[in-house]
Amino acid sequence: GFSPPDQSWYMQQLVRYIKSTILSEQSLDRGYFQREFIENILDQHISGRANHRLLIWSLLSFEWWNRLFLDKEPIASRNEINESHKRKIVLRGGREEQATNLEAPEPSRIGQLSWF
């Protein structure tokens, strides 16, 4: 398998995605996870009190497996992934542009990057 992402990824960029995946009604309705336990693990990790990156990676992997093999969710195409992971780029001068995670805007043009 793959190595889990660095601890900091789960504390910044991916927090919203992680919560929306493993704390979703779809995930919790299976009965494998207890909401309070997962919230506690995520809170400890995000606050820096503990490094739960391996556990979080395992929970995400298990949820992805459930969605793919039990729920029979289709695998997203590259275009669907690009559309669902749009980010807003605020350029110097205040002008906004959209970019996908697979695009690399020129660093000299970026004033601020904000995820939504």
Side-chain angles (χ1 to χ4, degrees), residues 16-32:
R16 192 175 333 159
Y17 173 77
I18 291 166
K19 287 181 176 182
S20 71
T21 302
I22 60 178
L23 289 173
S24 68
E25 291 305 314
Q26 180 180 5
S27 176
L28 295 173
D29 284 348
R30 288 192 184 89
Y32 299 126

Side-chain angles (χ1 to χ4, degrees), residues 65-101:
W65 185 90
N66 276 280
R67 289 182 184 197
L68 185 61
F69 293 105
L70 299 181
D71 301 343
K72 305 292 187 202
E73 284 189 11
I75 298 173
S77 71
R78 182 176 177 161
N79 288 338
E80 291 169 325
I81 293 169
N82 285 346
E83 286 301 312
S84 69
H85 290 87
K86 290 233 177 184
R87 60 185 175 189
K88 182 177 12 176
I89 304 291
V90 180
L91 302 175
R92 289 192 180 117
R95 198 175 87 236
E96 294 182 4
E97 289 184 6
Q98 298 293 324
T100 67
N101 285 339

Side-chain angles (χ1 to χ4, degrees), residues 34-84:
Q34 293 178 1
R35 176 180 294 278
E36 297 78 22
F37 177 79
I38 301 296
E39 287 173 342
N40 188 38
I41 292 297
L42 293 174
D43 288 343
Q44 288 176 9
H45 186 83
I46 294 165
S47 70
R49 291 177 297 185
N51 181 355
H52 292 299
R53 76 184 183 107
L54 298 174
L55 177 56
I56 295 168
W57 181 252
S58 296
L59 293 170
L60 282 169
S61 297
F62 183 65
E63 178 56 21
W64 293 327
W65 185 90
N66 276 280
R67 289 182 184 197
L68 185 61
F69 293 105
L70 299 181
D71 301 343
K72 305 292 187 202
E73 284 189 11
I75 298 173
S77 71
R78 182 176 177 161
N79 288 338
E80 291 169 325
I81 293 169
N82 285 346
E83 286 301 312
S84 69

